[in-house]
Amino acid sequence: VQLVESGGGLVQAGGSLRLSCEASGRIYSSAVMGWFRQAPGKEREFVAAIRWGVGNTYYADSVKGRSTISRDKAKNTVYMQLDSLKPEDTAVYYCARSTSYSTVAREYGNWGQGTQVTVSS
């Protein structure tokens, strides 16, 4: 399965972006799709995840309440709506697939190439 992210860009603080991650192959119901981000000089960190089959969602405290992860099974796509963006949200955002829920990046495979999100103050 190949994953391709899109939707990043430059936005002012307080603005919104919707990131997309399209998968080229089949995603099994047991899969978990996650979003991570990596800022310059920092480690990749968990942002959110969704269970592909049942749709249960999970969020990092840093984005809880101002972000929404969702999926469209017909389009084989996962979305990440980011609202009330802050300069500290600036990072490259990646989506990835895992066979089980985890907040640890090494538990995920099939990483996309990432999409840059830059939030200006």
Side-chain angles (χ1 to χ4, degrees), residues 3-110:
L3 304 175
V4 179
E5 303 95 334
S6 61
L10 173 63
V11 63
Q12 289 188 331
S16 299
L17 283 174
R18 189 174 83 152
L19 309 181
S20 300
C21 172
E22 184 175 1
S24 62
R26 179 182 177 183
I27 303 176
Y28 289 91
S29 294
S30 58
V32 174
M33 301 299 293
W35 283 97
F36 287 75
R37 67 186 182 185
Q38 188 166 19
K42 295 188 177 181
E43 293 193 357
R44 195 166 296 190
E45 66 172 357
F46 172 78
V47 177
I50 186 167
R51 293 189 184 274
W52 187 257
V54 297
N56 291 4
T57 58
Y58 309 88
Y59 298 93
D61 288 342
S62 58
V63 301
K64 194 176 294 183
R66 57 188 186 93
S67 65
T68 305
I69 187 171
S70 60
R71 88 281 195 236
D72 186 327
K73 290 183 177 181
K75 295 183 178 179
N76 239 26
T77 300
V78 180
Y79 302 99
M80 185 78 220
Q81 176 71 35
L82 299 168
D83 299 316
S84 302
L85 283 162
K86 307 174 183 180
E88 52 263 45
D89 293 318
T90 295
V92 178
Y93 284 69
Y94 300 88
C95 72
R97 185 185 65 162
S98 178
T99 56
S100 61
Y101 169 65
S102 175
T103 62
V104 179
R106 65 176 179 271
E107 299 296 327
Y108 287 76
N110 299 112

